[in-house]
């Protein structure tokens, strides 16, 4: 039976604290009144603090910076809701060391040269299938950009706000909406914050309006950077221009290229490879990885990469990647893994989680009810049996169980699709769907404890 210690551990691991409802979701075996008594004791002993009233009341482990979303008890900066692979945990263990304990490293051209479009994959086939399934819209067969134009008003607010937030901007979503829709700057905000939001708006409009001709070439990239950088750089000549000087990355031992000719050559190679990638998600993620790593501009490289990552999604009429609710600490550490280790696993895990979070926001404004998936319908019973088998045997490797079940029951030509379908069901598993698989909360929690889902 979960104890007071379990509740305290959850609060320590929770970015921004937790409401009572959120705690009960994580500990379904605790009755509401019991949880209330436990929390009261923790507050009385000084181990927990509280903010707010009623249902909005949030609880924080003592030492967490209430109101800032920065608990000191969790060093990795990743909220527990973002599933991380073992490889990602290894990257975190490295980048969470103090800078003096990490090995100084320069730009590794081999990292880019080793990537072969449509042969090398940062996103596995099963992940790409999941992303396509999540992001599919009713406009998938329409001309390029149909969907992004249809949701443009909402997109301008969400993406401008969330991407700016990752840069430390303090505008709220409501402030952003007032600025974008009515031109009304928020009171008490620095001019640089207002400029950053407006620049995002201009850059997103640039992509959407030119979607028919936009591709990953110098013209698109330079103009995208120029829009994002307007009035924000010490030297206006650096807007939309390959940098002419060395730069340093704060809190990192990574040193990017400093010679303009080397930067130019690497940028040409990067764009040439990006343009040849056929899958929109792989193409999107490739830009998220390699553009910040190269640092082709004097500043505003990460912002440029986040918008560039949306170009393939806009073109394919997929849901956008808005970065809603992505924690800045998590994003920074994922990028550090690329800078210092040329490892993409941590950024990949964050990308998949962030995309699912983005699509959830847009489900309500999709213009159709989803048609039943014929594959899911045909293999409904097998999916349920396999999910149940995996969860009730936490000692076994989940992927091996899935492969064995699919190999025994599914014709060879359908095996990759059915396997991807089951993996997706496992990844989405939560307390609200357990009855569908004949599972008890205790079985699910035992499985999560082993596999960290």
């Amino acid at each position: 039976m979960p104890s007071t210690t379990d509740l305290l551990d959850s609060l320590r691991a929770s970015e921004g604290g937790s409401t009572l409802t959120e705690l009960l979701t994580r500990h379904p075996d605790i009755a509401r009144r019991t949880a209330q008594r436990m929390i009261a004791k923790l507050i009385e002993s000084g181990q927990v603090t509280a903010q707010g009233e009623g249902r909005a009341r949030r609880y924080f482990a003592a030492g967490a910076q209430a109101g800032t979303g920065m608990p000191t008890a969790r060093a990795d900066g990743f909220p527990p809701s973002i599933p991380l692979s073992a490889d990602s945990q290894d990257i975190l263990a490295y980048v969470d060391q103090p800078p003096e304990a990490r090995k100084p490293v320069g730009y590794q051209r081999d990292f880019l040269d080793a990537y072969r479009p449509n042969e090398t994959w940062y996103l596995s086939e099963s992940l790409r299938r999941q992303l396509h399934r999540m992001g599919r819209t009713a406009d998938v067969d329409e001309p390029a950009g149909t969907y992004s134009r249809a949701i443009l008003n909402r997109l301008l607010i969400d993406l401008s706000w969330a991407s700016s937030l990752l840069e430390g901007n303090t505008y709220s979503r409501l402030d952003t909406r007032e600025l974008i829709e009515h031109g009304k700057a928020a009171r008490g905000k620095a001019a640089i914050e207002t400029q950053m939001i407006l620049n995002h708006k201009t850059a997103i409009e640039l992509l959407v309006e030119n979607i028919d001709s936009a591709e990953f070439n110098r013209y698109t990239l330079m103009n995208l950077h120029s829009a994002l950088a307007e009035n924000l750089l010490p030297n206006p000549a650096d807007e939309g221009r390959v940098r002419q000087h060395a730069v340093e990355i704060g809190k990192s031992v990574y040193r990017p290229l400093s010679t303009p000719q080397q930067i130019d050559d690497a940028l040409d190679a990067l764009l040439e490879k990006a343009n040849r990638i056929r899958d929109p998600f792989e193409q999107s993620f490739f830009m998220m990885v390699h553009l910040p790593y190269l640092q082709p501009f004097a500043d505003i490289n990460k912002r440029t990469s986040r918008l560039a990552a949306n170009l393939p999604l806009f073109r394919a009429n997929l849901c956008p990647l808005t970065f809603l609710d992505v924690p800045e600490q998590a994003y920074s550490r994922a990028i550090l893994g690329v800078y210092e280790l040329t490892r993409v696993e941590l950024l990949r895990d964050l990308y998949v989680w962030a995309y699912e979070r983005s699509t959830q926001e847009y489900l309500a404004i999709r213009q159709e009810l989803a048609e039943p998936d014929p594959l899911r319908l045909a293999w409904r019973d097998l999916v349920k049996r396999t999910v149940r088998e995996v969860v009730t045997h936490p000692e076994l490797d989940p992927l091996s169980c899935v492969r064995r079940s699919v190999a025994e029951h599914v014709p060879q030509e359908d095996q990759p699709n059915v396997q991807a379908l089951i993996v997706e069901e496992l990844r989405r598993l939560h307390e609200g769907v357990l009855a569908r698989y004949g599972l008890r909360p205790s079985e699910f929690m035992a499985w999560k404890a082993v596999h960290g889902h």
Side-chain angles (χ1 to χ4, degrees):
M1 172 66 81
S3 65
T4 303
T5 304
D6 295 322
L7 283 186
L8 185 57
D9 286 344
S10 288
L11 289 172
R12 284 173 174 156
S14 179
E15 286 219 350
S18 295
T19 64
L20 178 60
T21 301
E22 288 167 348
L23 283 170
L24 291 173
T25 300
R26 288 188 211 116
H27 300 282
D29 293 337
I30 303 181
R32 177 177 284 269
R33 288 191 177 181
T34 304
Q36 288 171 326
R37 284 196 299 271
M38 288 177 171
I39 292 170
K41 286 183 179 179
L42 288 168
I43 292 174
E44 187 178 343
S45 66
Q47 293 174 276
V48 165
T49 60
Q51 281 190 356
E53 299 297 332
R55 291 185 178 181
R57 189 171 177 82
R58 302 192 75 81
Y59 301 97
F60 300 82
Q65 299 170 31
T68 69
M70 303 287 282
T72 57
R74 172 115 180 186
D76 63 28
F78 273 79
S81 56
I82 303 179
L84 296 181
S85 64
D87 287 333
S88 293
Q89 298 282 6
D90 288 344
I91 296 170
L92 273 179
Y94 181 81
V95 300
D96 277 342
Q97 298 177 102
E100 58 270 20
R102 308 197 305 262
K103 180 184 176 183
V105 63
Y107 180 83
Q108 306 294 309
R109 178 62 188 260
D110 289 350
F111 181 38
L112 177 62
D113 289 343
Y115 186 94
R116 300 185 180 279
N118 310 308
E119 296 177 26
T120 305
W121 298 102
Y122 290 152
L123 304 174
S124 67
E125 183 180 0
S126 62
L127 267 185
R128 298 195 306 274
R129 287 182 191 279
Q130 289 170 21
L131 290 164
H132 276 281
R133 193 183 301 277
M134 285 190 280
R136 184 181 176 87
T137 72
D139 297 321
V140 69
D141 297 320
E142 298 298 317
T146 299
Y147 184 72
S148 55
R149 280 190 287 268
I151 61 164
L152 182 59
N153 292 342
R154 172 75 175 270
L155 176 66
L156 289 172
I157 296 165
D158 288 348
L159 184 50
S160 298
W161 172 60
S163 179
S164 297
L165 193 64
L166 288 174
E167 300 300 324
N169 196 302
T170 63
Y171 259 69
S172 69
R173 193 177 181 283
L174 187 60
D175 291 336
T176 303
R177 180 176 179 176
E178 285 293 304
L179 178 61
I180 287 176
E181 291 187 349
H182 306 295
K184 184 178 176 183
R187 286 186 178 182
K189 302 296 183 186
I192 192 171
E193 295 187 295
T194 303
Q195 184 77 58
M196 188 189 295
I197 299 280
L198 291 174
N199 287 0
H200 272 86
K201 175 181 181 288
T202 301
I204 296 163
E205 288 174 333
L206 179 75
L207 285 179
V208 173
E209 289 167 7
N210 295 283
I211 201 70
D212 292 334
S213 57
E215 60 180 27
F216 287 129
N217 55 27
R218 281 180 174 253
Y219 177 84
T220 298
L221 196 65
M222 299 307 182
N223 281 279
L224 183 62
H225 179 265
S226 176
L228 286 165
E230 183 182 358
N231 205 22
L232 291 179
L233 296 180
N235 181 2
D238 284 331
E239 296 171 10
R241 182 183 74 170
V242 170
R243 65 180 162 86
Q244 305 297 303
H245 53 80
V247 292
E248 291 191 358
I249 310 293
K251 300 179 182 177
S252 177
V253 295
Y254 170 58
R255 298 292 176 263
L257 290 173
S258 57
T259 308
Q261 185 58 54
Q262 289 182 312
I263 300 169
D264 266 318
D265 291 346
L267 182 59
D268 285 339
L270 187 161
L271 292 170
E272 188 272 334
K273 286 178 186 282
N275 260 328
R276 286 166 48 204
I277 299 170
R278 289 191 289 267
D279 183 88
F281 289 105
E282 181 74 14
Q283 195 178 39
S284 167
F285 186 66
F286 178 87
M287 294 301 287
M288 285 272 293
V289 169
H290 281 281
L291 199 61
Y293 182 60
L294 177 58
Q295 293 279 307
F297 304 111
D299 197 2
I300 308 183
N301 291 282
K302 295 197 297 293
R303 267 168 268 180
T304 305
S305 77
R306 291 195 291 271
L307 265 61
N310 269 292
L311 174 57
L313 309 182
F314 292 169
R315 200 162 42 203
N317 289 317
L318 292 158
C319 272
L321 173 58
T322 60
F323 301 92
L324 287 169
D325 296 331
V326 173
E328 187 277 330
Q329 276 198 333
Y331 179 73
S332 296
R333 281 165 167 76
I335 291 288
L336 274 182
V338 175
Y339 289 166
E340 298 188 13
L341 297 170
T342 59
R343 295 269 302 273
V344 304
E345 295 92 340
L346 187 55
L347 186 60
R348 177 201 63 203
D349 287 351
L350 184 62
Y351 178 94
V352 173
W353 178 87
Y355 191 67
E356 181 168 27
R357 179 69 189 85
S358 295
T359 59
Q360 287 167 354
E361 285 293 313
Y362 285 82
L363 285 174
I365 55 175
R366 292 189 189 184
Q367 304 192 2
E368 92 292 358
L369 287 172
E371 288 292 318
D373 181 346
L375 190 73
R376 196 180 295 265
L377 200 58
W379 297 101
R380 181 170 174 264
D381 291 339
L382 178 67
V383 170
K384 290 185 176 182
R385 285 201 312 272
T386 307
V387 169
R388 176 172 169 72
E389 181 188 356
V390 168
V391 174
T392 55
H393 293 85
E395 75 279 4
L396 301 179
D397 175 57
L399 193 54
S400 298
C401 288
V402 172
R403 285 176 176 153
R404 187 181 66 249
S405 179
V406 170
E408 288 175 0
H409 299 97
V410 181
Q412 192 165 1
E413 64 270 22
D414 287 335
Q415 286 180 9
N417 289 340
V418 176
Q419 182 176 313
L421 181 62
I422 297 172
V423 169
E424 181 185 359
E425 291 291 296
L426 283 166
R427 198 174 56 78
R428 289 173 174 269
L429 204 58
H430 60 87
E431 287 85 356
V433 298
L434 296 182
R436 180 186 303 172
Y437 306 103
L439 292 167
R440 296 191 300 274
S442 58
E443 292 172 324
F444 177 52
M445 297 302 285
W447 181 68
K448 275 183 41 169
V450 174
H451 296 284
H453 291 272

